Amino acid sequence: MKETGALSEELRRRIETSNVALIGNVASELVADAVGRLGFKDINICDKGSAFPKCDVAIVICSQNDRCADAIRHYITDGVPAICLYNFGIGACATVITPDCPLPNFLEDNLECNMVTAMLEYTRGYSAFWHIERNRWLDYVEKWIASTEISSSVGEYAMASVAAHLLIAIVAGSEVKTYPKFYLSTIANDIY
């Protein structure tokens, strides 16, 4: 992007002084590569048991709710927005949590539940309540999540693209949806 001039000088300066956390059971190397290409330099990948670093982009890998809840609390207490990423197999989901947002209730209330399943149920219920037809693919996500070939290719790349898009939007000061709202991205809306 730097070669094409797609990022303004002002945005590049903001990238150099930003702090954002990406949290979830993410494809860390793929996400790190995607955001690194945008100009984020100080990218730190942490897994279970490691401290939560202060850097441009902290990618916190967690599959347990208690670890994710601790990471989100740590970053938002420091005023750092957290982007929670979920691999939905043929797509991805993300929600942004800022210091003024509540934690998702499935993180706050039930530390034993599966985070991806909980977010899937939440997005499915939201889409059904609001009669959002283009999200009907959510009804079939379980089979795609269970397919390693699909979730490790399509889902991971969808997560990386959502993460990169949201990072730039946050750093640019653009308005982003925050929890309880969320973002969904899929290869096609009519895949069942």
Side-chain angles (χ1 to χ4, degrees):
M1 292 182 110
K2 286 184 179 181
E3 293 78 20
T4 64
L7 298 179
S8 69
E9 287 302 318
E10 172 64 23
L11 187 52
R12 288 185 199 158
R13 278 193 296 280
R14 287 184 183 185
I15 286 172
E16 291 172 5
T17 60
S18 66
N19 292 298
V20 180
L22 303 172
I23 298 173
N25 195 359
V26 300
S28 56
E29 295 298 327
L30 189 60
V31 172
D33 181 55
V35 301
R37 291 171 186 258
L38 294 171
F40 293 91
K41 302 269 187 253
D42 186 16
I43 302 169
N44 196 313
I45 299 171
C46 2
D47 56 12
K48 53 187 163 188
S50 62
F52 304 125
K54 179 111 177 176
C55 51
D56 287 354
V57 179
I59 301 173
V60 181
I61 302 167
C62 54
S63 56
Q64 296 177 334
N65 285 358
D66 56 349
R67 173 77 173 157
C68 288
D70 290 347
I72 294 166
R73 281 189 195 97
H74 171 80
Y75 285 108
I76 62 175
T77 299
D78 282 350
V80 175
I83 302 171
C84 299
L85 299 167
Y86 305 90
N87 182 341
F88 281 0
I90 58 168
C93 179
T95 189
V96 178
I97 302 175
T98 58
D100 58 339
C101 288
L103 275 181
N105 58 354
F106 56 84
L107 284 179
E108 193 71 83
D109 300 337
N110 185 357
L111 299 179
E112 299 300 318
C113 73
N114 178 300
M115 210 171 74
V116 174
T117 303
M119 192 63 184
L120 174 59
E121 291 304 317
Y122 178 77
T123 55
R124 195 180 340 205
Y126 180 95
S127 297
F129 179 81
W130 292 105
H131 305 289
I132 303 172
E133 291 294 320
R134 69 180 179 276
N135 292 346
R136 287 189 57 222
W137 63 276
L138 291 171
D139 293 335
Y140 305 92
V141 163
E142 284 92 353
K143 73 176 179 181
W144 299 111
I145 290 174
S147 168
T148 305
E149 297 83 8
I150 299 294
S151 64
S152 66
S153 57
V154 178
E156 289 179 355
Y157 281 95
M159 277 196 315
S161 67
V162 169
H165 175 83
L166 286 173
L167 277 171
I168 289 297
I170 289 169
V171 170
S174 300
E175 187 174 331
V176 294
K177 295 187 280 188
T178 58
Y179 183 80
K181 296 181 179 176
F182 53 87
Y183 292 90
L184 288 175
S185 177
T186 183
I187 54 171
N189 288 327
D190 58 354
I191 297 225
Y192 303 123

